[in-house]
Amino acid sequence: MRLKDKVAVITGGASGFGEGMAKRFAEEGARVVVADLNSKGAERVAAEIGEAALPVTADVSIKADIDAMVAAAMERFGRIDIMVNNAGFTHRNQDMLTVDEPTFDLIGSVNMKAIYLTALAVVPIMKEQGGGSIITTASTAGLRPRPGLVWYNASKGWAITATKSMAVELAPQKIRVNCLCPVAGETGMLAQFMGEDTPEKRAQFRASIPLGRLSTPLDVANAALWLASDEAEFITGIALEVDGGRCI
């Protein structure tokens, strides 16, 4: 029960890493807001968790949606201790010059602007409460970028720098800010990362990971759980690699 009496808001909670975090956090005693653009997916995950979960439909690139998400969390649970910026978007693995402008803008809105919007909404609440934890799902792409995902890589590098900057500024208010850097895993974005999802591509990708497999939602959820818990009360401003050795 490492998150007993804590309330967590998790964006992108309807699938993949976000679903893993929502369920793992609930197992450890948290009440969770499962936020996602996919309403049915959020409702499914919340239903599987039970009374400790609240599904919310939200587009993280829209301020009104973020504000409504936070208001729903406060109305239902009365506080927010953990904010997880997990929703993400990528372009397909391709030449950097062939990514169109609308796709580029969407990457910026979901992977970057959303962090700003959630900070505007939850930091005042956490200051009033005397502290909190903000966690962003970044990526190994932000630490060790590779060709084919240039604009996605850049957005995750931005997220890592934003994490460190926020950590320094918010430390006096006892708000810890960290991010996770997972290697690609069994999520809906895997095909885009690889360009195409084939057994050959998967084998090639696994071969680049020293521990010999892709990440799983549980891997990422367990890392997030530790960062969110009081066990990590002296940890802030880190980009935690959850990558099986990929960045070595």
Side-chain angles (χ1 to χ4, degrees), residues 77-163:
F77 299 122
R79 60 186 296 114
I80 296 174
D81 302 282
I82 304 155
M83 178 69 234
V84 182
N85 297 302
N86 173 72
F89 181 75
T90 185
H91 58 82
R92 184 171 293 278
N93 194 305
Q94 61 184 284
D95 185 307
M96 59 179 280
L97 301 181
T98 63
V99 176
D100 61 40
E101 187 175 355
T103 300
F104 177 89
D105 288 343
L106 188 54
I107 289 169
S109 293
V110 176
N111 297 355
M112 297 162 56
K113 185 180 180 182
I115 298 172
Y116 160 73
L117 293 177
T118 59
L120 292 179
V122 304
V123 167
I125 294 169
M126 290 180 174
K127 284 182 177 180
E128 182 71 21
Q129 292 172 175
S133 174
I134 298 172
I135 301 170
T136 292
T137 302
S139 172
T140 55
L143 296 170
R144 193 175 174 189
R146 289 171 171 80
L149 292 168
V150 167
W151 310 119
Y152 173 79
N153 296 342
S155 73
K156 292 304 184 179
W158 185 97
I160 293 167
T161 300
T163 292

Side-chain angles (χ1 to χ4, degrees), residues 16-21 23-25 27 180 186-187 213 215-225 242:
F17 296 152
E19 178 178 355
M21 288 184 220
K23 291 180 175 178
R24 190 74 185 90
F25 282 20
E27 288 175 354
L180 300 166
E186 301 284 352
T187 73
R213 66 172 176 83
S215 69
T216 68
L218 185 58
D219 293 324
V220 178
N222 281 331
L225 170 63
V242 187

